[in-house]
């Protein structure tokens, strides 16, 4: 009889029916503005897909969720042994970590070992994966891997089995990285999901479909049968996830977070069973889904609803009455428009080309952009460096945020960008038409930003056209160097300004360097600052780089955005660590209160 009852319970569970008296499933629902590109750590680069992979794969390290200042802690590995010259890192995998179940393992419970990290890092060097994060590893100069990659670029299959000096398995659990560059901050990159551990047999089992079949050792796994591309993504608990408990230490100056941490202390992670992501590109339906309790949280309250949801930066009384929680924060973030430095119209370092980009920048009315398109949810940027990163200075001022149409017109006139054919529009110095092409997406905020671009350029008598496509398509075109200009955001995954200075480093073209800027003087300074320890000397070099980026203007850096998340009262544990993406494993849900709200 007992066996029959157990079997019946299993059938009901498979059908999604709760057995009488069992705890209701805890489901956390929210939405992305942009569709996923896939789930392979070696291939994805966009913020949204990396948010998903952060919950599926264990990077060697991670940032402690509540620690401020930000602090690294063990994830897939213990904190590494670091040589005095910072050129050698030795990691130890934490024993007893297992991959989520998958047919690739043929019924065997597969443990995470050192060879998995070595293999996962090598995958970024394999040309067939087209890693957009390879520059992070290449900049460190991991010994021997460049040679392996060059051989593969010449047509030989990438040799995963060849041991190289800079990346070695020492024993079952220990592995080592040796680098040409002694970078004191390199280990921070190993807290990013792009170096999450994958199993070789999974990659070989799924082949070209690996972007659709993520299998990792972290708290969640993709529920493939419920995934609807560009529409809905479901993550569920990894049944092989280790015993891990909530043990976060909140900052001394945050009594609210201390109370939250005390309430959740000792709870096994993750506390929720499922995370459901909907892809909702337009802001109005995203906001309405939250207001109707169809979503438990709205990430990044849309700018057009800011005055309704949080007038003067304060939670609206009607939302406060409903128990809505507000979490307002600045990311390490820049919103930029890049100029393709290899494009014949806007690229190049000749004086007249630099003058054109500077004039366009001077013609952008940032005050209107912040007030109208962004509804006050941003501050004007002075350069590439962003808040919450080392090297950023709130006292740094530059031409980057200046709006001066008279100065812009004077620069254009001086360098020969005048109306040569009498049609009322400026032409290039050689008499050919001057027509900008700006890539953008077809959602509400990007439409508002495009309207401002149109008005700003009309005022300078510069023609501008807009190239509309969805985010994944624009990203692919940008990496291939096929866009003239594109407006895009960049968020750091480490608390260091190098994450933004890399946008101008020549060796990173086609990866972080969307502008394809390649100036020897900038490259030399970039390499110099990377090798320096934190201190006045490095800060001085970082400021030179920042000023050089302003002078040559490969990027018009518009603003640093301010983000606000809102959640319903049945969500507990909400706090954002801007250098971690998988915040949901620290959340709990009152499923009964959630159910009642959704039924109203």
């Amino acid at each position: 009889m007992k066996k029959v009852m157990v079997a019946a319970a299993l059938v009901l569970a498979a059908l999604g029916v709760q057995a009488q008296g069992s705890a209701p499933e805890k489901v956390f629902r929210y939405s992305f503005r942009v569709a996923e590109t896939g789930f392979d750590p070696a291939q994805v680069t966009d913020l949204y897909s990396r948010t998903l992979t952060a919950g599926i794969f264990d990077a060697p390290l991670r940032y402690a969720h509540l620690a401020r200042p930000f602090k690294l802690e063990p994830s897939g590995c213990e904190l590494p042994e670091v040589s005095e010259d910072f050129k050698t890192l030795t990691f130890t995998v934490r024993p007893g970590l297992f991959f989520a179940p998958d047919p690739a393992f043929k019924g065997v419970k597969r443990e995470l070992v050192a060879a998995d990290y070595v293999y996962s890092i090598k995958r970024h060097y394999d040309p067939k994966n087209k890693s957009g994060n390879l520059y992070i590893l290449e900049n460190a100069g991991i010994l021997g891997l460049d040679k392996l990659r060059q051989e593969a670029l010449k047509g030989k299959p990438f040799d995963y089995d060849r041991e190289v000096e800079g990346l070695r398995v020492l024993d079952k659990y220990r592995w080592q990285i040796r680098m040409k560059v002694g970078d004191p901050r390199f280990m921070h990159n190993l807290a990013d999901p792009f170096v999450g551990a994958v199993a070789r047999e999974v990659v070989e089992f799924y082949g070209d479909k690996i972007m659709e079949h993520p299998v990792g050792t972290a708290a969640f796994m993709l529920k493939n049968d419920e995934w609807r591309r560009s529409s809905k993504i479901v993550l569920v608990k990894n049944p092989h996830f280790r015993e891990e408990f909530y043990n976060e230490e909140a900052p001394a100056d945050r009594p609210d977070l201390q109370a939250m941490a005390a309430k959740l202390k000792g709870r096994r992670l993750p506390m929720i069973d499922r995370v459901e992501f909907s892809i909702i590109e337009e802001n109005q339906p995203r906001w309405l889904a939250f207001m109707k309790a169809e979503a438990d949280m709205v990430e990044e309250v849309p700018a057009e609803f800011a005055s309704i949801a949080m007038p003067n930066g304060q939670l609206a009384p009607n939302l406060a009455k409903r128990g809505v929680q507000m979490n307002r924060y600045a990311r390490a973030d820049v919103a930029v428009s890049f100029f393709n430095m290899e494009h014949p119209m806007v690229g190049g370092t000749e004086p007249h080309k630099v003058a054109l980009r500077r004039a366009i920048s001077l013609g952008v009315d940032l005050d209107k952009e912040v007030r109208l398109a962004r509804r006050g949810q941003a501050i004007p940027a002075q350069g590439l460096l962003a808040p919450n990163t080392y090297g950023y200075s709130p006292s740094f001022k530059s031409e980057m945020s200046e709006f001066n149409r008279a100065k812009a017109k004077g620069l254009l006139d001086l360098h020969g960008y005048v109306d040569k054919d009498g049609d009322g529009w400026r032409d290039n110095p050689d008499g050919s038409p001057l027509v900008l092409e700006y890539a953008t997406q077809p959602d509400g905020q990007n439409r508002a930003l495009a309207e401002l671009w149109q008005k700003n350029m009309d005022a300078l008598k510069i023609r501008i056209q807009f190239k509309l496509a969805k985010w994944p398509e624009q990203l692919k075109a940008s990496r291939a160097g096929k866009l003239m200009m594109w407006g895009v955001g960049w968020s750091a995954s480490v608390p260091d300004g190098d994450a933004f200075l890399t946008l101008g480093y020549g060796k990173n073209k086609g990866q972080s360097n969307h502008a394809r800027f390649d100036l020897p003087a900038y490259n030399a300074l970039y390499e110099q600052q990377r090798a320096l320890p934190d201190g006045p000397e490095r800060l001085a070099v970082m400021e030179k780089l920042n000023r050089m980026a302003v002078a040559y203007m490969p990027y018009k850096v518009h603003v640093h955005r301010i983000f606000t998340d809102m959640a319903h009262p049945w969500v507990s544990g909400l706090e954002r660590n801007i250098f971690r993406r998988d915040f949901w494993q620290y959340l709990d849900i009152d499923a009964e209160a959630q159910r009642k709200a959704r039924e109203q």
Side-chain angles (χ1 to χ4, degrees):
M1 183 67 176
K2 185 176 180 181
K3 288 182 179 178
V4 172
M5 291 176 66
V6 170
L10 289 171
V11 171
L12 288 171
L15 294 172
V17 179
Q18 292 289 337
Q20 189 172 5
S22 66
E25 189 176 44
K26 295 182 177 182
V27 183
F28 178 63
R29 302 174 178 89
Y30 78 111
S31 61
F32 286 166
R33 294 185 295 111
V34 171
E36 76 287 3
T37 55
F39 308 98
D40 179 14
Q43 297 185 65
V44 300
T45 58
D46 61 289
L47 174 65
Y48 301 95
S49 299
R50 289 169 79 172
T51 296
L52 297 162
T53 58
I56 297 171
F57 299 94
D58 271 312
L61 307 174
R62 67 188 182 194
Y63 285 93
H65 181 53
L66 294 184
R68 307 291 184 275
F70 301 102
K71 182 178 74 173
L72 289 172
E73 67 178 13
S75 185
C77 300
E78 302 293 348
L79 293 173
E81 300 171 24
V82 184
S83 64
E84 288 187 11
D85 62 3
F86 300 104
K87 292 183 178 180
T88 304
L89 305 179
T90 304
F91 287 90
T92 301
V93 175
R94 297 164 69 188
L97 275 57
F98 292 91
F99 285 93
D102 190 85
F105 299 129
K106 298 178 172 57
V108 176
K109 191 175 180 182
R110 170 70 153 78
E111 187 179 14
L112 175 68
V113 293
D116 296 316
Y117 280 110
V118 169
Y119 172 73
S120 300
I121 290 173
K122 281 183 175 180
R123 291 188 69 228
H124 289 276
Y125 287 81
D126 186 342
K128 77 174 185 180
N129 292 323
K130 299 178 181 177
S131 169
N133 292 302
L134 175 62
Y135 70 94
I136 297 172
L137 304 170
E138 283 189 321
N139 288 352
I142 299 177
L143 299 172
L145 283 177
D146 279 343
K147 183 179 179 182
L148 211 57
R149 176 173 171 80
Q150 289 306 314
E151 290 177 3
L153 285 169
K154 293 175 182 176
K156 295 177 65 175
F158 190 86
D159 189 354
Y160 284 97
D161 296 314
R162 189 195 306 176
E163 185 178 279
V164 297
E165 182 183 357
L167 189 63
R168 296 191 300 135
V169 175
L170 303 181
D171 57 39
K172 182 178 180 181
Y173 295 115
R174 292 191 312 134
W175 59 285
Q176 188 178 79
I177 294 177
R178 294 186 63 204
M179 299 171 287
K180 184 167 47 180
V181 178
D183 183 348
R185 295 159 295 275
F186 176 75
M187 78 166 75
H188 287 274
N189 295 302
L190 300 180
D192 190 279
F194 90 94
V195 283
V198 301
R200 184 169 181 172
E201 54 263 54
V202 172
V203 176
E204 293 177 350
F205 185 82
Y206 289 108
D208 292 340
K209 299 291 186 182
I210 189 60
M211 280 281 267
E212 302 169 12
H213 294 276
V215 182
T217 58
F220 292 91
M221 55 188 283
L222 178 69
K223 200 163 190 315
N224 287 81
D225 60 345
E226 293 190 51
W227 175 34
R228 304 292 178 266
R229 188 181 290 276
S230 303
S231 176
K232 182 181 179 181
I233 303 150
V234 176
L235 301 185
V236 296
K237 274 185 180 180
N238 172 6
H240 291 170
F241 187 58
R242 56 192 173 268
E243 283 196 353
E244 195 162 283
F245 301 90
Y246 194 105
N247 192 30
E248 297 302 305
E249 293 186 14
D253 62 347
R254 291 290 304 272
D256 56 329
L257 294 184
Q258 288 183 334
M260 181 185 82
K263 177 184 175 183
L264 298 174
K265 189 175 179 65
R267 299 280 302 279
R268 185 167 180 178
L269 300 175
M271 293 178 276
I272 55 177
D273 301 300
R274 288 166 60 99
V275 190
E276 296 183 359
F277 306 83
S278 299
I279 311 302
I280 306 177
E281 295 177 343
E282 291 290 348
N283 286 332
Q284 185 178 38
R286 278 203 311 124
W287 175 248
L288 290 177
F290 174 70
M291 292 299 289
K292 293 190 291 185
E294 293 169 1
D296 302 302
M297 183 186 92
V298 57
E299 182 181 43
E300 304 171 19
V301 170
E304 55 261 51
F305 297 103
S307 60
I308 300 170
M310 44 185 176
N312 301 314
Q314 301 298 314
L315 185 65
N318 65 310
L319 297 179
K321 188 175 180 180
R322 291 175 59 177
V324 168
Q325 309 165 62
M326 183 172 80
N327 189 20
R328 193 165 166 80
Y329 57 97
R331 280 189 192 156
D333 163 272
V334 292
V336 307
S337 294
F338 73 75
F339 300 92
N340 182 345
M341 294 293 288
E342 295 176 351
H343 195 282
M345 187 77 70
V346 296
T349 56
E350 303 96 321
H352 70 286
K353 293 297 184 68
V354 174
L356 173 62
R357 294 191 298 272
R358 287 181 57 203
I360 291 169
S361 173
L362 286 164
V364 173
D365 189 341
L366 284 183
D367 179 63
K368 280 188 177 176
E369 179 176 326
V370 170
R371 283 190 299 105
L372 301 178
R374 301 188 184 276
R375 308 298 174 95
Q377 307 308 298
I379 59 172
Q382 301 293 334
L384 278 177
L385 296 172
N388 294 307
T389 62
Y390 184 82
Y392 172 78
S393 171
S395 63
F396 178 83
K397 303 297 178 188
S398 79
E399 186 186 89
M400 187 64 80
S401 65
E402 184 180 351
F403 170 57
N404 190 327
R405 280 187 183 142
K407 189 174 176 180
K409 291 176 180 178
L411 266 176
L412 292 166
D413 291 344
L414 180 64
H415 288 273
Y417 291 97
V418 295
D419 178 12
K420 295 180 181 293
D421 58 9
D423 66 354
W425 296 99
R426 293 181 185 271
D427 298 302
N428 285 306
D430 65 2
S432 62
L434 173 60
V435 183
L436 304 181
E437 184 179 75
Y438 192 95
T440 186
Q441 291 78 248
D443 60 87
Q445 183 168 78
N446 276 298
R447 283 196 296 270
L449 290 169
E451 286 174 12
L452 287 176
W453 266 105
Q454 185 76 65
K455 290 176 181 177
N456 288 327
M457 294 303 99
D458 284 353
L460 297 181
K461 298 301 179 183
I462 295 177
R463 299 177 187 86
I464 186 168
Q465 300 172 348
F466 297 95
K467 183 177 182 178
L468 281 174
K470 292 195 173 185
W471 167 268
E473 297 167 42
Q474 302 287 34
L475 180 63
K476 185 177 180 181
S478 177
R479 296 230 178 270
K482 294 180 179 179
L483 301 181
M484 182 193 296
M485 298 171 67
W486 186 25
V488 67
W490 186 266
S491 297
S493 58
V494 298
D496 190 86
D498 181 89
F500 297 99
L501 297 176
T502 186
L503 300 183
Y505 185 44
K507 291 184 180 179
N508 299 343
K509 286 192 291 186
Q511 298 181 71
S512 62
N513 186 351
H514 285 268
R516 311 181 85 80
F517 185 52
D518 193 359
L519 188 73
Y522 186 100
N523 296 341
L525 282 173
Y526 175 81
E527 290 169 1
Q528 182 185 346
Q529 69 81 27
R530 199 178 65 220
L532 289 170
D534 290 347
E537 186 180 359
R538 182 172 183 241
L539 288 173
V541 178
M542 295 175 87
E543 182 171 326
K544 285 181 184 177
L545 286 162
N546 210 8
R547 291 194 181 281
M548 197 173 288
V550 174
Y552 283 89
M553 202 64 69
Y555 296 90
K556 166 61 178 178
V557 188
H558 294 248
V559 297
H560 307 301
R561 293 171 292 181
I562 298 168
F563 297 87
T564 304
D565 299 338
M566 290 189 180
H568 288 295
W570 51 83
V571 179
S572 58
L574 180 64
E575 172 65 12
R576 297 300 292 271
N577 182 321
I578 60 173
F579 299 111
R580 284 198 65 172
R581 299 172 175 87
D582 55 333
F583 65 94
W584 359 279
Q585 75 163 294
Y586 296 97
L587 298 181
D588 195 15
I589 294 283
D590 182 338
E592 184 60 21
Q594 180 193 56
R595 182 188 64 79
K596 288 179 179 178
R598 288 172 66 86
E599 288 177 353
Q600 288 179 357

